[in-house]
Amino acid sequence: MIDATDASSTGGWITNGAGYHFNNNYGFGLVDVDALTRAATEFTGVTPLQTQTTGLISVGATIPENNAAGISRSVSIAEGGLLEEVQIRLRINKNQNFFSYVEDIKGVLTSPSGTQSVFLTPALCNCSLASPESGTVNLDWTYTSNAFWGEDPSGEWTVTLIDVPSPSGGSHDSYAMPWHSFEIISRSGSLISASPGDFDADGDVDGRDFLVWQRDSGQTARLRADDNNDGLVDAADLEIWQDNYGQGGTQALVAVPEPTSAGLAAIAITSFLGLNRRLALFSVVAG
């Protein structure tokens, strides 16, 4: 994390639903080059991009002036995955035959896990997007947020628009802005392991990898034994190990114990609960 105490109006560190630190000023922070180069050898590519869209959602309501609560609208995305980025298309109308100012509007997107991303920061300047025709859309823009990287997109997303008062006042503070519509687009994918089942990344799929799986079974932290990147070390990952056992070189002579009854119970319980928190693709940030 760079500038860990950053509390500026444009930044500030958050921890998203996948456990990653993010800051609008610094992204995910300083790249750990050693970790990046090591991780690059463990994967062969990425799955095809999975895109989901809510379609254009009509709002047809005015953004309250100088109101800290703003106005919010929610919409759901059905399918899961591992988020790479989220796009927010925003359309705001002008409602008079004069310039409509949008520089005092703040936009916040909240994910199903509760992570909030400020995708539109008030400029608080005399810049405008003017349209000569009365009643036409004068802001139609698609913003991109990376703050949700590694989260599961399935569930309810909320867009909030807030009219922020200008520090110096001004005529634009008296202009009510009609919110026309919005659209949310999720873009997901996951890395493809270079050696499926090689949980200890030693080049062999052997008994030692089973011991790694047994140690991590039932965990939802970012662990290497989560070979299918679904956010849980479980029986599905063990099946990957079984299918690839013996690949990569000479097998180590390590006794492979049977899963304990507690381990099997943990698998059954977590499968029943349907835990769906996803892990991020892999960590390349320091700290």
Side-chain angles (χ1 to χ4, degrees):
M1 292 170 60
I2 302 171
D3 190 10
T5 60
D6 174 39
S8 62
S9 60
T10 58
W13 288 95
I14 65 170
T15 301
N16 72 11
Y20 288 109
H21 301 299
F22 181 82
N23 187 317
N24 273 341
N25 291 334
Y26 302 109
F28 291 95
L30 180 68
V31 174
D32 182 334
V33 178
D34 285 342
L36 174 60
T37 53
R38 286 195 303 268
T41 66
E42 298 178 12
F43 303 94
T44 60
V46 67
T47 58
L49 180 66
Q50 179 184 4
T51 302
Q52 297 184 78
T53 176
T54 62
L56 199 60
I57 307 297
S58 178
V59 177
T62 299
I63 303 170
E65 296 180 58
N66 303 333
N67 185 317
I71 180 174
S72 297
R73 290 293 185 271
S74 298
V75 64
S76 292
I77 289 179
E79 297 183 15
L82 289 174
L83 278 172
E84 294 181 6
E85 60 188 11
V86 176
Q87 296 178 329
I88 313 100
R89 181 185 178 191
L90 182 64
R91 303 181 77 193
I92 297 178
N93 276 16
K94 80 181 191 67
N95 64 338
Q96 300 285 348
N97 283 315
F98 47 71
F99 289 164
S100 288
Y101 294 87
V102 296
E103 73 272 13
D104 55 351
I105 300 299
K106 177 181 179 180
V108 181
L109 180 63
T110 305
S111 73
S113 69
T115 303
Q116 291 190 331
S117 172
V118 178
F119 66 88
L120 176 59
T121 301
L124 299 177
C125 65
N126 287 324
C127 44
S128 63
L129 296 172
S131 176
E133 298 85 17
S134 174
T136 59
V137 173
N138 71 321
L139 173 67
D140 187 346
W141 195 262
T142 300
Y143 302 86
T144 298
S145 174
N146 296 303
F148 309 104
W149 184 46
E151 291 191 11
D152 182 344
S154 62
E156 185 176 83
W157 292 80
T158 300
V159 179
T160 302
L161 299 184
I162 304 168
D163 183 294
V164 179
S166 170
S168 59
S171 59
H172 63 283
D173 274 342
S174 63
Y175 295 166
M177 302 297 297
W179 184 3
H180 181 276
S181 54
F182 71 97
E183 179 181 12
I184 298 175
I185 303 166
S186 70
R187 295 163 60 86
S188 304
S190 59
L191 292 172
I192 301 171
S193 175
S195 302
D198 184 18
F199 303 145
D200 62 359
D202 68 349
D204 295 328
V205 182
D206 56 14
R208 291 191 179 92
D209 300 299
F210 176 85
L211 297 179
V212 173
W213 175 88
Q214 187 180 48
R215 180 197 65 201
D216 296 342
S217 180
Q219 300 295 315
T220 58
R222 297 196 300 271
L223 298 172
R224 186 65 179 87
D226 180 27
D227 219 18
N228 60 358
N229 291 316
D230 69 349
L232 179 66
V233 179
D234 58 7
D237 302 298
L238 179 61
E239 185 175 349
I240 293 175
W241 172 80
Q242 291 173 326
D243 291 344
N244 292 277
Y245 184 81
Q247 301 296 316
T250 304
Q251 302 310 305
L253 298 178
V254 177
V256 180
E258 293 295 324
T260 64
S261 58
L264 292 174
I267 295 171
I269 291 172
T270 51
S271 298
F272 174 76
L273 292 177
L275 297 176
N276 61 0
R277 289 190 60 192
R278 308 292 181 175
L279 301 188
L281 302 185
F282 63 88
S283 179
V284 297
V285 296

